[in-house]
Amino acid sequence: MKIEENILNDVSRVSLEGRFDADTCDTVEAFIRERIEKGRSQFVLNMENVPFISSAGLRVVIIIARELRNEYQGDLHISALQPTVNKVFEISGLNNVLRIFDDAEDATLGFSK
Amino acid sequence: MNIRFWGVRGSIATPLTNAELAAKLETAVKLSIKAGLTDKKQVSGFIRSLPLHIRQTVGGDTACVEVKAADKLLILDAGTGLRRLGLDLVKRYRGNPIEAHILLTHTHWDHINGIPFFVPAFSSKNKLTFYSPYPGLKARLKNQQNPEYFPAPLSSAFKFVRLNDCDKFQIGDVKIETIPLNHPGGSYSYKITCGDKTMVYATDSEYKELSAGSLKPFTDFFHSADILIFDAQYTMLENVEKEDWGHSNVFIGIDMALEAGVKKLVFIHHEPAYNDKKLYNILKKAKEYVDINQSEGGLELFLAFEGLSMTL
């Protein structure tokens, strides 16, 4: 799993590349938690280059989003889901509770609206 | 090996309500009008054609699964489903002594509430043995039948065998292994092997750490099982909201079963607040997920319901 971060207007845009599953979930969670500890609370998880997400990835996404909302007045926006990954968000019901955007720019702007 | 489900509900017995029954009947009658039924002979076939959530219920009794392996009778958990199993055994054995080995995952109510109503325990000629790794199991079960809670004491017909946390033992030709699961107050999984067939019963467990390393002790235990019976009480979202309640969901079950190379995955311990329609919808979504997740289609999914029989 390759992870990159760009910061725009106080929003941390975290771009993932690779499968988001039991082999990579700890890496992604640690990466975001490290930034939460440094005071960040607004994140975009850009999944343009994620071809697959399993229950392990879904759990990290929902746990982090809930924590940011409940404890930091922040959020985790999701962007650029590939069709298969989008389907998994729908099947699991997570699309009903997360803010999902077509691209990372919209997801970033979503924090100012 | 033959497996039969007598109780599949989690937490508390959940009888079908009159309103739910009326809704099923109303839907069925409307569909029969739409199908243009004109003759009594068409009725049976029409009923068989109805979706499962309309023509049956998964059932309301709590955890109890019968396993017949070689010539041994094993019973997994003693929830309220044990009552009807007991009545059936009395009929089947026609007065001959019943020898049953009852493997308990833990002693929460929904896994022991059937014991006071297990009719074979009323006869001293039957040989009934409980197995569990819990210290003081007999005292726990006796307490359930203290006069404050129940009019009759625990039957003296029961014998008790104390297991270790990670045990391996045999009952005749049947090999049994245990490992601890993640549940408030504890719970244990049982792996039953007879000849070249293996089934695993793993109910009442929560998996909060989903990295491959954290799940390895469990996926190793489930490895190559012909059948894995798995606690999928909640939806993905509710599982997160009910953190530390000790249960799981279909998505985690599928990922673990695929990792372990399981052949058939059976979801059990259904949430009492979920009706038949919701439960079959969860199964539908689980099938969509497994279709995305596996390339060769080796894993089959099932929703446990009362009366479901499976043969290995």
Side-chain angles (χ1 to χ4, degrees):
Chain A
M1 168 70 77
K2 196 172 154 190
I3 310 178
E4 278 184 7
E5 184 192 30
N6 293 297
I7 298 176
L8 289 157
N9 303 328
D10 232 19
V11 177
S12 170
R13 185 187 294 175
V14 178
S15 298
L16 309 180
E17 186 177 335
R19 289 168 66 89
F20 192 2
D21 58 15
D23 291 322
T24 58
C25 62
D26 279 358
T27 309
V28 177
E29 183 170 1
F31 188 94
I32 299 174
R33 284 200 183 283
E34 196 180 311
R35 279 139 188 90
I36 294 173
E37 280 169 20
K38 286 179 182 167
R40 301 226 163 270
S41 60
Q42 296 181 327
F43 290 85
V44 169
L45 194 63
N46 182 28
M47 296 176 67
E48 189 178 351
N49 294 309
V50 174
F52 175 79
I53 188 166
S54 74
S55 58
L58 292 173
R59 183 172 167 87
V60 168
V61 169
I62 191 66
I63 290 283
I64 296 278
R66 277 169 54 92
E67 195 174 313
L68 287 169
R69 288 174 185 177
N70 296 340
E71 295 176 31
Y72 300 95
Q73 290 77 52
D75 203 353
L76 178 71
H77 290 179
I78 309 295
S79 72
L81 297 180
Q82 294 186 18
T84 301
V85 175
N86 188 48
K87 180 81 176 164
V88 174
F89 273 82
E90 284 177 13
I91 291 168
S92 64
L94 263 56
N95 63 325
N96 295 319
V97 292
L98 295 168
R99 293 192 71 191
I100 300 175
F101 297 82
D102 287 342
D103 57 53
E105 283 69 31
D106 281 353
T108 307
L109 285 171
F111 280 105
S112 53
K113 286 177 184 171
Chain B
M1 196 184 309
N2 291 301
I3 301 163
R4 185 163 182 194
F5 293 81
W6 291 89
V8 299
R9 190 67 65 166
S11 305
I12 190 166
T14 313
L16 193 69
T17 64
N18 282 331
E20 287 167 335
L21 178 60
K24 283 174 191 286
L25 289 171
E26 188 176 328
T27 307
V29 171
K30 281 179 182 169
L31 288 171
S32 74
I33 293 167
K34 198 173 171 186
L37 260 61
T38 54
D39 194 304
K40 280 193 284 187
K41 288 175 189 164
Q42 296 171 298
V43 172
S44 299
F46 169 74
I47 289 171
R48 279 196 300 274
S49 75
L50 290 171
L52 287 171
H53 75 271
I54 297 170
R55 72 177 159 96
Q56 66 175 47
T57 176
V58 299
D61 272 325
T62 65
C64 183
V65 180
E66 176 188 6
V67 178
K68 283 193 283 181
D71 59 342
K72 301 300 177 191
L73 169 63
L74 312 179
I75 299 170
L76 292 159
D77 274 332
T80 61
L82 185 70
R83 186 185 70 87
R84 286 188 305 111
L85 169 57
L87 295 173
D88 196 69
L89 289 173
V90 168
K91 246 189 228 172
R92 267 189 265 161
Y93 279 71
R94 296 176 186 175
N96 294 312
I98 299 167
E99 183 176 349
H101 305 271
I102 307 168
L103 312 174
L104 285 186
T105 58
H106 62 309
T107 53
H108 284 167
W109 292 341
D110 49 331
H111 297 257
I112 61 168
N113 268 177
I115 294 167
F117 303 93
F118 188 52
V119 172
F122 302 168
S123 168
S124 58
K125 72 182 174 191
N126 294 326
K127 198 175 168 191
L128 310 168
T129 308
F130 279 111
Y131 299 76
S132 102
Y134 293 100
L137 177 66
K138 187 174 183 180
R140 293 188 190 195
L141 299 185
K142 277 176 83 170
N143 287 342
Q144 179 182 222
Q145 293 182 237
N146 274 347
E148 293 92 337
Y149 308 115
F150 199 78
L154 180 70
S155 166
S156 58
F158 291 120
K159 304 289 179 243
F160 293 84
V161 172
R162 166 97 187 265
L163 305 174
N164 296 312
D165 267 5
C166 295
D167 214 328
K168 285 185 182 182
F169 62 103
Q170 285 199 213
I171 298 172
D173 292 332
V174 183
K175 294 175 186 165
I176 301 170
E177 293 174 55
T178 63
I179 57 160
L181 299 172
N182 306 316
H183 194 66
S187 182
Y188 289 84
S189 175
Y190 289 90
K191 177 156 68 179
I192 299 170
T193 303
C194 185
D196 62 351
K197 299 297 180 189
T198 296
M199 68 152 291
V200 178
Y201 182 65
T203 190
D204 292 66
S205 190
E206 182 171 6
Y207 307 92
K208 286 164 65 176
E209 302 295 331
L210 297 182
S211 66
S214 300
L215 294 179
K216 193 170 186 307
F218 306 105
T219 51
D220 281 353
F221 192 73
F222 302 161
H223 183 67
S224 295
D226 295 285
I227 290 182
L228 169 61
I229 302 171
F230 188 88
D231 168 359
Q233 176 149 347
Y234 299 132
T235 61
M236 170 70 81
L237 281 173
E238 200 166 1
N239 210 170
V240 172
E241 285 160 6
K242 293 183 174 171
E243 188 175 15
D244 295 328
W245 288 33
H247 298 289
S248 191
N249 65 70
V250 293
F251 301 99
I252 291 172
I254 288 168
D255 286 331
M256 291 175 77
L258 287 172
E259 176 63 24
V262 167
K263 295 177 184 68
K264 293 179 179 177
L265 176 61
V266 185
F267 302 121
I268 198 169
H269 210 273
H270 308 313
E271 162 62 35
Y274 297 172
N275 63 20
D276 290 317
K277 189 174 182 181
K278 176 151 182 167
L279 289 170
Y280 280 104
N281 193 41
I282 288 172
L283 178 66
K284 180 174 168 275
K285 289 181 185 302
K287 285 180 175 175
E288 288 174 21
Y289 181 66
V290 86
D291 284 346
I292 289 171
N293 214 332
Q294 67 174 349
S295 49
E296 293 172 9
L299 178 65
E300 283 184 80
L301 305 183
F302 299 84
L303 190 71
F305 59 83
E306 286 175 18
L308 172 65
S309 292
M310 304 179 88
T311 300
L312 289 177

